[in-house]
Amino acid sequence: MNEPDAAQRAAMRHGGGPALVIAGPGSGKTFVMTRRIAYLTDDLKIDPSSILTLTFTNAAAKEIRSRAYSFIGARASRMTFGTFHSVSFSILKQTYGLTRANILKPAEKYIILRDLIIGSHTYVEDMPEAVDELSARINGVSYGNGLIGEETGERLCLKYREILRERRLLDFGDMLRKCHALLTADTARLAFWRDRYRYIQVDEFQDTDSLQYELVKLLAGDDENIYAVGDDDQSIYGFRGGSFGVMRRFMDEHTDEAGGRRLGIYELGKNYRCCMPIVRAAVKVITQNEDRIAKHQEAFDLTGPDVDIRGFGGRDEEAEEMMRLTASAHTDDIAILARTNELVKYYDRVLSAKGIRTSLNGISKSLYRTECGEDVMAYMRLACGRYTRSDILRCMNKPYRGIGREAFAGAEAVLDDAANFYKGIPEVEDAVRQFIEDINRMKLMKPENAMRYLMKVVGYEEYLIKCGAYLNDLHELYERSGAYSSLYEWIRASDMPDSVSADDDSTGIRILTLHACKGLEFREVFIADVNEGIIPYRRAAKKSEMEEERRLLYVGMTRAERKLHIFYLNENNGKKMQPSRFLDALQ
């Protein structure tokens, strides 16, 4: 996109006062925001240092800053581009003398929360999931897994706050609240920041929550130079407090009793990303929502194949068709989108088992999160005595030993349970005895020797070969094991959450949840399992929840540039499945 269309030109030439830019998918909102910066500085002679652009991710801030440099050069260095959190921290930093050392790092937070859960003697099979649940509870966000009880969760939240106070640390959730409280209480400081930021731009305005909106209004003051860019049809973060209702509120607060508007409204309705069949299909879906701002959308590219909508007899059959269609394609331009993390992990596991390179949920996947990595680290945790029942179940028949799940009935299962359960049954008793003996021997070894023992003596390498699995991950794990002096050290390193940023170059098919795909685009997109109970999710009962589920599908559909596949199941594991009601609009 080199020259703006008429709608873009109007939006980018807005000067002072409040404005709402309704920017549909692929409509060039970043192009408009950066061109407006050039208009403010070049045409209106606005001081670049008085312009603040707020985003929701560091990647978005970096992208807008980079484009601003291309338009106005070094003057862009005097502007402020940042997330709500980074700008709030900057204000707190100058007030209280904080440094980056006072910010709680994600890895540190994970360790604190993990240790709190372990210390509470709460049994959980999936520690990363439990940590995410506790983190969400701390930030006042709904998280539905229920791995941690209500009373325990409240107690751990209080302990977490105490730890942060003692260490003088600040987590992300604190930044906005503390910044808002500071500016509300200190009028002199508020006046300083209002004078500093005279023009405020907000990206992805539909995702702002009430606190973020109040912070923007507080900074803008009576001048109300708020340039809000968003699309209510792409509001999908209700579970963490985001609400397109803020867009309506913004409009209502600038509409007088006679219906006259005191803000500029600009609609970017031309989609430069998706070809016409995809735009038409997406519009048919989203217009079924009643609570939305009416808008017109059309495609710039009038060509393209029809949307591929099909049903399958089972999830394996569906995955096979995905692999067939992508076998000869350039996989970096392909994404598989699913509603839940469990489904994302399923497709990642199936494709990885066939040797297809993948990246998971927008993050280059850690070796320890592969199927082989999970197996190996479960064995290592068994050897260290730091295992859970799920670790036993994962390892007990890899290689096959004939051990059944019923041997480990209790939540606090130990290996000796199987020895007692199969006592007197020689063919299994011997296998169990050997299993326990192997674990005890590995306990005394350094990681590299334990890996060699697992591969060659226990027979895990031969097991993978018989399963037809690729050995690349196993051999890489063996190479890594030599870097650690003890099993405990290796386990601790593998226990950290994946840390490779979505900004990093990654190869392979991207497998993401529909929530994680926001802001991305791919030449070819598969949306899997578009069924009742999945999309829309089974917990969506209220009308508002159902409409957010429909927006989620709409966001997924509009990630595709040329090819869009929408797959659903007719049955799965012998159970009849119904296509999503959202597909009725496409029949």
Side-chain angles (χ1 to χ4, degrees), residues 98-119:
L98 302 176
T99 69
R100 297 202 70 82
N102 296 109
I103 299 178
L104 182 65
K105 297 178 178 62
E108 290 178 298
K109 182 173 183 177
Y110 181 89
I111 292 169
I112 291 171
L113 296 181
R114 182 199 63 191
D115 290 348
L116 282 173
I117 293 169
I118 293 171

Side-chain angles (χ1 to χ4, degrees), residues 2 10 65 70 79 95 154 257 264 297 332 377 405 432 442 447 537 546 557:
N2 295 315
R65 180 189 293 111
S70 69
M79 301 176 185
T95 304
E154 290 299 320
E257 293 181 2
Q297 295 183 69
D332 287 6
M377 297 320 297
R405 298 173 68 92
V432 170
M442 289 168 62
Y537 198 51
M546 193 61 68
M557 294 173 71

